[in-house]
Structure formats: structure tokens, C-alpha cells
Amino acid sequence: MTAAGLRAGLIGLGSMGRHHARVLAGLDGVQLVGVVDPMGDKNGWAQGAPVLSTVEELISLGVDYAVVACPTALHEEVGLKLAEAGVHALIEKPVADTVEGARRLVEAFEARDLVAGVGHIERCNPALRSLRSRLEAGELGDVYQVVTRRQGPFPHRIADVGVVKDLATHDIDLTGWVTGQEYTSIAAHTVSKSGRPHEDMVSAVGQLSDGTMVNHLVNWLSPLKERFTSVTGEKGCFIADTLTADLTFYSNAAVATEWEALRAFRGVSEGDMIRYAIPKREPLLVEHELFRDAVLGESRDICTLRQGLRTVEVAAAVLESANSGTTVRFDGVGTPTA
């Protein structure tokens, strides 16, 4: 760290990397000192920072931390080089393309006591941050079900993974994060209709450690772009639209007598609908601010590599379930069991 602040680097100038470069270049207390992309900067996305060919060149510049936004298959290789050099890292999701690779990254960064996070950006969406706070405050009472739908046309930026690792990992992570629970089981079906080697649609049903039911529908086959999360519980239902960052509450208007309330939950009827007015800051900027603060030791409100590993484990279980036609169950720490 210099008088100008933390020295940051970026690996990858693709469709996500260019946004990281933009945010890093304007981030308070941070200086973007170099960008790695073997293809160069054909589109002028590097924000004036030197464009390098290798990770080793970036490390030689003396960076405090680096953002890894290269293809998923390269995350492990790049991350291990950064850990070996003592560089903190924010790695785009998923943290790695295999469970084993994710574990090696966790071990490498933890062994050196480095700050490392995963770019599960939905954690920084204003609607989901508000939803999580409201669930923690008990505004929904007992939680019964989480449903997510994430669908739209195929993104041509993706070539190395299927819809489970690229998109469903968003929903797996946000479900565990907003509820504070771990997956205990998952069952899934996938299809591949677009002629690509990987799956392009998945439907999954699971259960969390407190008994909450979860349902995920994710695909690249719909002309409708949708980012929907609903959480249903004792007092009503929250609906989060993460495209617009809107959060709406539909209350359960069934009013039990005091005596009945002491005995059991009685029923549901349609009540008030409230759309909350919440500040809508750019999620990627919030993600970078949180990671910067973590590197400075001020906060650790980030998705850790270990949490990212759990998401990769559940994603792998989704694919295992779809291939085997069986339900995959997890032990008490989120690891799949036979």
C-alpha cells in the first residue's frame, strides 16, 4: 500500500472484467496499476492502466490485491499464483470449475492468512441486502420456502461451463446467504437443447438445514429475462426482482385470536402489499468497497472462499443428481455424502 492507497490489479478484460476495470479505476483509496489479458486491450477497457501478458508481470508491479475475472477454468491456476506471491484476491464466481480446485484455493489463501473473496455479486444487490436484513429481524417469522427463477437468452461470453456453474451458482449462494442456512439435500434435472456440450436448463428442488424448501429454475433458453427470488414464511411473502432491485412484501392478513396464536399457525389470506423504497447503489461498486475494506482490515462482509467452495459443492451435487437420477444429501457442513 502506498500514499495513493491500495495497489490493485485485474486479470481478464472480458465482458465482466471491463466492468471491474471501470469500478477499480474510480474506487476511493485504490489505484489500478495493471491489467492482464493476453489478447490486449482492443476495446480500450483498461482505463489507461498498463496491459500485461502474464500474471507474473502483474505481481512484479507490487500489487496489494488482484481481481480475477478470467475464464472459470483458469481461476485455480491464477489464484494459486497470487496466493504464492502473498497477494489478496477477489475471484469471480464460481471460485473454481471443480470442487477439488476450489478446495486447493481455500487452502492456499487460508494457509497464508490472505483476504480472499468470491464475486457473488447478488449479495450486493440492494433488494437482496434489504431482504436479508428483514429476515434476520424476524419480519417474516418462520421461513417455509425459497424460490428462484433466473432465465434468459444464451450469453455468448460463456463457453467453458454450463448453466449450473455459470448461473445457478448465483441462486445457490444467495439462498444460503439470505437465510443463513446450509443445503442438506438437492435433486435436479437438466437438459441441453442448444447444441452446446454443457447443460442449458436446470430445475432443482432442495432442503436447507432448518427444513426450508428451495426451488431453482435456471436456463439460457428463454427470450424472457427474469431474475426472481421469493421467500415465503409465516407472516407473508417477500419478492425480490434483482433486475430492478425492487423488494415487495405481500402480507398474510389472517388474524388469529390470541388463544389460537398460542396454539398453532392457522391459515393465510391476502393482505397488504408493500413495495419498499430502498437505496439502489451499483452492486459491483458495493462489492468492491466491501472487499477493499476487508483488505484494509476494516470489515469482512464478503463472500469468503470457503463459502464459495460450498456453493461449488452444491453445484456439483446438482449435476451429480441430474446425471444419476438420485437425490444428493449433505453432511452437517455442506459436504455431499454418499
Side-chain angles (χ1 to χ4, degrees):
M1 183 173 177
T2 67
L6 293 169
R7 294 172 59 82
L10 170 65
I11 296 120
L13 264 182
S15 60
M16 195 64 198
R18 64 188 176 106
H19 294 295
H20 283 294
R22 170 181 56 82
V23 173
L24 282 168
L27 189 61
D28 288 344
V30 172
Q31 180 185 8
L32 178 60
V33 299
V35 175
V36 176
D37 196 308
M39 302 297 292
D41 183 17
K42 297 177 292 184
N43 300 294
W45 289 338
Q47 304 293 318
V51 180
L52 313 169
S53 298
T54 66
V55 176
E56 288 80 5
E57 290 177 81
L58 180 65
I59 292 171
S60 71
L61 294 179
V63 291
D64 297 300
Y65 75 91
V67 177
V68 179
C70 54
T72 305
L74 299 176
H75 285 187
E76 180 186 355
E77 175 187 346
V78 170
L80 291 177
K81 289 180 180 179
L82 294 172
E84 181 66 28
V87 177
H88 307 294
L90 174 61
I91 303 173
E92 260 301 336
K93 65 86 207 159
V95 61
D97 60 346
T98 66
V99 172
E100 295 75 18
R103 285 179 182 151
R104 285 189 285 268
L105 284 170
V106 169
E107 292 165 359
F109 281 93
E110 287 186 350
R112 295 165 176 83
D113 196 27
L114 294 167
V115 177
V118 186
H120 279 294
I121 196 169
E122 291 287 43
R123 293 189 179 206
C124 300
N125 187 285
L128 292 177
R129 291 181 74 83
S130 180
L131 170 56
R132 184 181 187 231
S133 296
R134 294 176 186 280
L135 291 179
E136 289 177 339
E139 293 185 20
L140 201 58
D142 290 341
V143 175
Y144 304 148
Q145 183 185 45
V146 179
V147 175
T148 70
R149 297 196 302 270
R150 185 175 299 268
Q151 51 188 346
F154 178 76
H156 294 285
R157 62 185 173 80
I158 299 299
D160 57 341
V161 295
V163 75
V164 170
K165 291 182 179 179
D166 182 63
L167 284 189
T169 46
H170 279 302
D171 297 306
I172 292 166
D173 179 74
L174 75 84
T175 297
W177 179 70
V178 299
T179 61
Q181 304 297 319
E182 298 280 358
Y183 283 77
T184 57
S185 68
I186 198 79
H189 294 281
T190 61
V191 296
S192 182
K193 296 291 186 180
S194 58
R196 300 177 181 90
H198 301 289
E199 79 289 342
D200 42 37
M201 176 180 282
V202 61
S203 178
V205 177
Q207 191 170 46
L208 304 181
S209 48
D210 64 350
T212 297
M213 179 191 302
V214 299
N215 301 78
H216 302 308
L217 175 63
V218 189
N219 75 67
W220 282 328
L221 300 176
S222 171
L224 166 69
K225 187 171 183 180
E226 184 180 34
R227 301 290 185 267
F228 170 96
T229 300
S230 74
V231 183
T232 301
E234 177 185 8
K235 298 179 182 180
C237 177
F238 283 112
I239 303 291
D241 182 336
T242 53
L243 285 176
T244 61
D246 287 325
L247 179 65
T248 306
F249 177 61
Y250 296 84
S251 70
N252 172 15
V255 179
T257 66
E258 182 179 352
W259 180 252
E260 288 174 329
L262 293 174
R263 292 169 52 193
F265 173 76
R266 288 295 176 182
V268 175
S269 67
E270 186 175 353
D272 294 333
M273 181 189 77
I274 303 170
R275 176 166 292 176
Y276 298 103
I278 52 179
K280 295 184 178 181
R281 303 184 67 223
E282 181 186 1
L284 189 62
L285 174 58
V286 174
E287 179 180 89
H288 275 275
E289 289 175 343
L290 292 173
F291 190 76
R292 173 201 62 197
D293 293 348
V295 172
L296 292 171
E298 299 174 8
S299 167
R300 291 248 176 178
D301 187 17
I302 61 173
C303 178
T304 67
L305 287 196
R306 192 162 288 278
Q307 291 168 341
L309 164 61
R310 290 172 186 159
T311 295
V312 172
E313 288 176 335
V314 176
V318 168
L319 293 172
E320 179 186 341
S321 172
N323 290 332
S324 66
T326 62
T327 297
V328 177
R329 303 188 186 281
F330 302 84
D331 62 20
V333 295
T335 304
T337 57

